[in-house]
């Protein structure tokens, strides 16, 4: 019929691509969870595993960006400061906030576990042993910050060493002055390019989230959660309370910012962290959301967020408190005030010592258990549900990164409050 056209692919997809990215991610998460549970309950968990490579492909794309993004953004951020005193202030504020909130998180975890007592009435029996690597010593951690071979640090993706090298490189650009202007211009252009590449890969976030959630729900199902549901519930409740009360409270009291807008602006990286269980892997999305949704200037986000992705472990620390007390209760071991203080200090300082180490959650837990004389066999029990717990604690870690970037940016007058107070407009670049 004249005047009638078949709908184009763009026309069919336009209602979906017009949605804000966070809504796309949320819909994908719900659909993936529903499909995964259905496949698990009908005995087709193998199909969920077949879908997982789509999620793995997306995560590989995100991880591909981490090293160049951290290095380039830090170099441009530090080089643009032109003020050694400001760099010192940023470092001090960032470390104090991260470590302070980690201490609060593990205290909250201990408090909730003391209140609800998830281990009371549970007989762990003869728990299977689990191999857990020894955490690095304080000296090893300090020495490990400085790469002996910068190229090797890049090749291995050692984020802490890359951060140190990038900060020194950026400082050197500032100190050289006029002669370094071509190098600074190069990195400014490279930053724009890597941000464009990031936006392209982020466009596929909903599809990666769908695949990963389908796999998680299809693999674990509901039966896996029942025996340790109380531990899972307490960790999730603690993460929610910490985000709302601690992050929201600090933003309201210290920075006079609207906590609701903070959560709206942080929802994309939090959801991706929840499904991918990787703070470092979520870093490109976190940086983009901090700048586009929360108004954090790049000079702050490029410094605070890469550091937070490696040393900020609020969610992991809260998990330590709950799991340590759960294991103590299950084994019938009474912990006093001295042991509580030891757990708080060990987990807080250990968050730096285990930064960037694969399986850092279980390594930190073994360190905490050892510090108060609890049996390491308890780690094997927690390892069975570690993926489920890891989702919540990683989401909280990233929420903390976003909160600290806002707090530091506001204190340094590097926060665009017009952007912060405007409902976020981060959309898929496929729109």
């Amino acid at each position: 019929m004249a005047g009638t056209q078949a709908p184009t692919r763009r026309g069919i997809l336009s209602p979906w691509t017009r949605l804000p990215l966070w809504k796309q991610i949320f819909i994908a998460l719900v659909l993936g969870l529903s499909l995964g549970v259905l496949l698990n309950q009908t005995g087709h968990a193998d199909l969920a595993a077949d879908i997982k490579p789509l999620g793995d492909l997306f995560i590989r794309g995100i991880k591909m960006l981490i090293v160049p993004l951290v290095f380039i953004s830090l170099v441009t951020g530090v080089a643009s400061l032109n003020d050694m005193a400001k760099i010192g202030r940023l470092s001090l504020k960032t470390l104090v906030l991260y470590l302070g909130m980690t201490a609060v998180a593990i205290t909250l975890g201990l408090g909730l576990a003391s209140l609800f007592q998830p281990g009371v009435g549970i007989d762990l029996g003869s728990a299977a042993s689990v191999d857990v690597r020894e955490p690095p010593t304080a000296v090893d951690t300090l020495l490990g910050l400085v790469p002996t071979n910068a190229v090797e640090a890049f090749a291995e993706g050692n984020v802490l060493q890359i951060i140190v090298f990038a900060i020194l490189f950026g400082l050197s650009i500032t100190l050289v002055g006029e002669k370094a202007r071509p190098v600074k211009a190069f990195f400014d252009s490279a930053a724009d390019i890597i941000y464009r590449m990031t936006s392209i890969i982020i466009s596929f976030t909903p599809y990666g989230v769908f695949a990963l959630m389908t796999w998680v729900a299809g693999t674990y199902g509901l039966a896996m959660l029942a025996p340790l549901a109380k531990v899972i519930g307490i960790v999730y409740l603690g993460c929610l309370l910490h985000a709302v009360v601690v992050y929201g409270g600090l933003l309201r009291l210290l920075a006079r910012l609207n906590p609701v807008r903070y959560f709206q602006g942080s929802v994309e990286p939090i959801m991706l962290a929840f499904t991918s269980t990787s703070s470092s892997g979520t870093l490109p999305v976190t940086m983009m959301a901090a700048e586009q949704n929360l108004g954090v200037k790049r000079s702050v986000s490029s410094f605070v967020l890469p550091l937070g992705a490696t040393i900020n472990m609020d969610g992991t620390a809260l998990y330590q408190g709950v799991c340590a007390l759960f294991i103590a209760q299950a084994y019938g071991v009474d912990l006093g005030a001295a042991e509580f203080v030891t757990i708080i200090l060990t987990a807080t300082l250990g968050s730096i010592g285990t930064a960037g180490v694969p399986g850092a959650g279980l390594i930190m837990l073994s360190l905490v258990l050892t510090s108060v004389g609890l049996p390491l066999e308890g780690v094997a029990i927690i390892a069975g549900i570690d993926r489920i717990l890891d989702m919540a604690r990683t989401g909280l870690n990233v929420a903390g990164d976003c909160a600290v970037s806002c707090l530091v940016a506001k204190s340094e007058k590097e926060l665009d409050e017009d952007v912060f107070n405007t409902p976020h407009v981060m959309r898929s670049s496929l729109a």
Side-chain angles (χ1 to χ4, degrees):
M1 183 180 294
T4 301
Q5 286 185 320
T8 63
R9 181 177 180 273
R10 182 175 179 82
I12 294 172
L13 292 178
S14 59
W16 169 256
T17 55
R18 280 200 299 264
L19 288 173
L21 187 60
W22 75 268
K23 288 185 179 180
Q24 294 183 24
I25 295 173
F26 180 77
I27 292 171
L29 189 150
V30 172
L31 290 176
L33 179 63
S34 303
L35 178 60
V37 170
L38 178 63
L39 292 174
N40 182 270
Q41 295 297 306
T42 56
H44 294 91
D46 55 326
L47 294 179
D50 292 337
I51 296 173
K52 184 174 180 282
L54 178 63
D56 291 337
L57 181 64
F58 168 69
I59 294 300
R60 289 175 72 93
I62 288 288
K63 288 184 175 180
M64 174 183 70
L65 297 170
I66 294 173
V67 169
L69 181 66
V70 169
F71 179 66
I72 292 171
S73 61
L74 262 177
V75 169
T76 55
V78 173
S80 67
L81 293 175
N82 295 319
D83 185 351
M84 300 294 288
K86 186 172 184 177
I87 295 173
R89 288 198 312 272
L90 282 177
S91 302
L92 181 61
K93 290 175 183 178
T94 302
L95 288 173
V96 168
L97 282 169
Y98 279 141
L99 293 180
M101 291 194 304
T102 297
V104 172
I106 192 169
T107 303
L108 176 60
L110 289 170
L112 289 173
S114 298
L115 177 63
F116 293 105
Q117 299 187 332
V120 173
I122 294 179
D123 182 12
L124 289 182
S126 55
S129 61
V130 61
D131 293 327
V132 180
R133 288 190 296 164
E134 287 290 323
T137 65
V139 173
D140 289 339
T141 299
L142 184 62
L143 292 176
L145 292 175
V146 181
T148 55
N149 185 330
V151 176
E152 183 180 8
F154 279 82
E156 294 179 351
N158 190 318
V159 178
L160 275 178
Q161 292 186 352
I162 293 171
I163 288 173
V164 171
F165 182 74
I167 291 173
L168 290 173
F169 197 94
L171 283 174
S172 300
I173 290 175
T174 299
L175 294 174
V176 169
E178 187 65 26
K179 288 184 178 180
R181 284 188 65 184
V183 176
K184 185 177 183 300
F186 168 80
F187 276 97
D188 288 340
S189 298
D192 290 334
I193 293 170
I194 200 69
Y195 267 71
R196 174 61 66 178
M197 186 184 298
T198 299
S199 70
I200 293 171
I201 292 179
I202 287 174
S203 299
F204 297 95
T205 301
Y207 311 103
V209 166
F210 170 78
L212 291 171
M213 281 307 300
T214 301
W215 170 70
V216 170
T219 301
Y220 291 94
L222 301 177
M224 178 76 181
L225 311 183
L228 295 170
K230 204 169 184 180
V231 174
I232 296 170
I234 292 172
V235 170
Y236 274 67
L237 174 63
C239 289
L240 180 62
L241 288 175
H242 189 77
V244 173
V245 177
V246 178
Y247 300 157
L250 287 174
L251 287 165
R252 170 63 73 185
L253 295 175
L254 296 184
R256 305 297 183 199
L257 297 172
N258 184 349
V260 175
R261 273 293 306 121
Y262 149 73
F263 285 112
Q264 289 174 339
S266 307
V267 68
E268 287 104 344
I270 291 173
M271 283 186 174
L272 179 57
F274 183 81
T275 52
S276 69
T277 66
S278 173
S279 297
S280 296
T282 310
L283 181 59
V285 183
T286 309
M287 295 184 70
M288 184 163 287
E291 293 180 25
Q292 292 186 9
N293 299 348
L294 299 174
V296 178
K297 298 293 180 65
R298 189 174 296 183
S299 59
V300 172
S301 66
S302 62
F303 182 88
V304 173
L305 293 174
L307 195 60
T310 51
I311 72 169
N312 177 39
M313 293 191 175
D314 288 4
T316 306
L318 188 147
Y319 147 96
Q320 309 300 320
V322 174
C323 293
L325 211 51
F326 162 75
I327 292 170
Q329 292 165 357
Y331 277 103
V333 178
D334 292 325
L335 299 179
E339 286 79 15
F340 274 46
V341 171
T342 300
I343 290 174
I344 293 170
L345 292 175
T346 303
T348 302
L349 298 177
S351 66
I352 295 179
T354 56
V357 179
L362 291 178
I363 293 174
M364 281 182 64
L365 182 57
S366 69
L367 177 62
V368 168
L369 296 180
T370 302
S371 70
V372 290
L374 291 173
L376 282 178
E377 286 79 8
V379 176
I381 304 299
I382 298 301
I385 57 169
D386 189 62
R387 170 77 192 200
I388 307 299
L389 299 177
D390 202 7
M391 295 167 76
R393 68 184 188 234
T394 307
L396 184 65
N397 290 345
V398 170
D401 295 342
C402 292
V404 170
S405 70
C406 290
L407 290 168
V408 173
K410 180 63 184 291
S411 70
E412 292 290 329
K413 296 181 174 57
E414 295 284 347
L415 183 74
D416 187 334
E417 294 194 46
D418 288 336
V419 174
F420 183 93
N421 292 318
T422 301
H424 70 278
V425 294
M426 192 172 176
R427 294 178 182 269
S428 167
S429 65
L430 296 178

